[in-house]
Amino acid sequence: MYHHSGNMARQTAGSGTGLLEPVAPATDAILFQRCTWCGTAMYHRLLCPVCQCGDLRTERSEGVGTVRHSTVVHRNTPVARNVSLIELTEGFVVRGRVMGPPAAIHSGDRVRMSTVKDPVRGEPVFQLLDEPYRAWH
């Protein structure tokens, strides 16, 4: 049975045992889980979505990925912002924001994680790696 204790905790980096320790200060890296049985990478899961194994180890992402989907959001915010799904090179997808004009972010754009976090939602913030050549599109 699951019991929420109210304390924030995370899995120990590199641990395959699933031991929990208090959250460390925020860093500029994304921690994700990898299934020790089938090797599937995932973000914030308790069980592997492929094989349902609970033996997950925590790894650190390089923070480089590709925009898979981006939406411009206008509600509950003073200015328009984008909400994007980023597929990182390690093979998992994370929701975040890409810096720049919201309408200029497109699927396929290469991004790198920034050291800032979204102050409202606490999600990772990414920046474009290459300026897209959209003049002839």
Side-chain angles (χ1 to χ4, degrees), residues 33-100:
Q33 295 85 24
R34 186 173 304 277
C35 179
T36 57
W37 192 76
C38 71
T40 300
M42 66 215 79
Y43 185 66
H44 286 279
R45 294 293 200 108
L46 295 175
L47 298 174
C48 175
V50 174
C51 68
Q52 303 301 311
C53 178
D55 190 14
L56 309 176
R57 71 177 179 270
T58 301
E59 296 181 12
R60 183 180 304 266
S61 171
E62 295 289 325
V64 177
T66 304
V67 175
R68 287 296 165 224
H69 179 73
S70 186
T71 300
V72 178
V73 177
H74 297 278
R75 69 173 185 252
N76 298 332
T77 181
V79 295
R81 63 181 178 86
N82 73 56
V83 175
S84 301
L85 294 177
I86 311 295
E87 182 177 347
L88 286 123
T89 55
E90 291 84 6
F92 66 97
V93 176
V94 65
R95 180 178 138 168
R97 187 169 60 90
V98 180
M99 289 190 283

Side-chain angles (χ1 to χ4, degrees), residues 30 43 94-98 113 116-118 122-126:
I30 295 179
Y43 185 66
V94 65
R95 180 178 138 168
R97 187 169 60 90
V98 180
M113 192 174 95
V116 292
K117 278 201 170 192
D118 185 299
E123 297 173 331
V125 176
F126 295 85

